[in-house]
Amino acid sequence: MRHSVHVVLPVLVSSAMIAHPECNRLLQRALLVSPGGAQTMSKRAERFPAGYPLFLTHGSGVRVWCADGHEYVDWICGLGALTLGYCHRDVDAAVFRQLSDGVSYSLPHTLEAEVAEQLVATIPCAGPDGMVRFVKTGSEACAAAVRIARIVTGRERILYCGYHGWLDGYVASRPEHPGVPEVLAGLVGSFVHNDLNSLRAALDAYGIAPAAVMLEPALNSHPEPDFLEGVLKLAHAAGALVIFDEMVTGFRW
Ligand SMILES: Cc1ncc(COP(=O)(O)O)c(C=O)c1O
């Protein structure tokens, strides 16, 4: 079944008027076995206006189809990960090639160093001695960066701004953190995006110099002129490292 094309986000179109009986049926099924009916909060039905498509069956380029067969232009593209769109010919061909050679070996694969070299060459701040450690999730990458900062500085406190995953070390900085040991809250603080005064206050709090200041360079809005430079200046003056979590921004700043 094909209908006219609708845009998923950010433009809210009249999709509320489209029927989604299959999406709704799948949601009820998923709610019985998955918290919130999805494996990440950003995909939960409650994040979208009523009547939005909830389950996708396939995609091609920038287009996706929901479980009820409606076609959409997907402005989100895999929560931002699929910058080349769905089923890109070259990407898929490389994946198929690798599948025919096997996956997940018991020793490093020859591609690992090759990809690491390309990343070091592509990321300016990696510098000539930059090294790469591949991890499986953004939460792990953030936790690894924090651990390195603690080792390098010999300090423990971390100041956060933005979202940095679901692991205890970061979640302790959120006002509510059920299940996270309270002792961890004493090792973290937070500050507000585009607000250097909030960073100054967080740096002064407790009189304990932090190991690192971690932030998403952009949140729902771009960083204001001089904000990122100001963060670097304040953090470095306190002897702290700055960690840009580029999980979403992808080295655009
Ligand atoms: C900026 C940022 N950092 C870290 C994470 C955590 O990544 P993951 O869900 O892969 O653990 C996310 C996830 O949305 C994120 O947006």
Side-chain angles (χ1 to χ4, degrees):
M1 178 170 50
R2 272 206 163 193
H3 295 256
S4 56
V5 176
H6 298 266
V7 175
V8 173
L9 276 178
V11 185
L12 306 183
V13 291
S14 59
S15 56
M17 283 148 35
I18 302 174
H20 289 104
E22 182 60 7
C23 281
N24 288 324
R25 191 189 67 77
L26 288 168
L27 177 62
Q28 299 315 315
R29 182 179 169 187
L31 282 170
L32 295 177
V33 286
S34 307
Q39 294 300 322
T40 190
M41 202 169 66
S42 310
K43 299 183 184 182
R44 286 187 179 192
E46 72 222 29
R47 307 275 292 191
F48 298 93
Y52 250 62
L54 301 174
F55 289 85
L56 301 177
T57 57
H58 58 292
S60 177
V62 297
R63 284 159 205 279
V64 289
W65 286 264
C66 78
D68 288 285
H70 306 304
E71 179 181 340
Y72 301 86
V73 172
D74 184 355
W75 286 77
I76 316 176
C77 274
L79 300 180
L82 298 182
T83 44
L84 298 179
Y86 299 92
C87 298
H88 187 279
R89 201 185 47 197
D90 296 343
V91 174
D92 282 8
V95 172
F96 290 141
R97 247 191 337 270
Q98 190 58 46
L99 283 176
S100 65
D101 281 341
V103 291
S104 197
Y105 310 103
S106 309
L107 290 173
H109 187 269
T110 50
L111 274 175
E112 286 176 33
E114 197 182 308
V115 175
E117 282 167 4
Q118 285 186 18
L119 286 170
V120 170
T122 307
I123 299 168
C125 63
D129 301 326
M131 302 185 93
V132 174
R133 178 71 162 87
F134 296 108
V135 289
K136 297 172 193 73
T137 66
S139 304
E140 285 173 89
C142 292
V146 163
R147 187 175 295 175
I148 291 169
R150 285 178 168 147
I151 294 168
V152 168
T153 61
R155 301 172 177 178
E156 292 192 329
R157 202 156 169 263
I158 308 290
L159 302 181
Y160 292 106
C161 168
Y163 176 71
H164 305 294
W166 72 279
L167 298 181
D168 288 3
Y170 160 69
V171 175
S173 73
R174 297 173 77 96
E176 293 193 7
H177 42 261
V180 174
E182 202 50 45
V183 67
L184 293 180
L187 298 178
V188 292
S190 54
F191 64 103
V192 178
H193 197 250
N194 279 334
D195 181 352
L196 289 175
N197 280 335
S198 73
L199 175 58
R200 282 189 192 95
L203 284 165
D204 291 343
Y206 306 109
I208 307 169
V213 168
M214 179 186 266
L215 70 157
E216 293 182 71
L219 287 172
N220 291 335
S221 55
H222 285 198
E224 281 170 9
D226 301 334
F227 172 66
L228 297 179
E229 289 79 0
V231 169
L232 288 169
K233 214 187 257 175
L234 289 172
H236 289 166
L241 303 178
V242 174
I243 302 167
F244 284 153
D245 173 352
E246 301 257 18
M247 228 61 68
V248 171
T249 51
F251 306 113
R252 292 180 182 84
W253 277 271

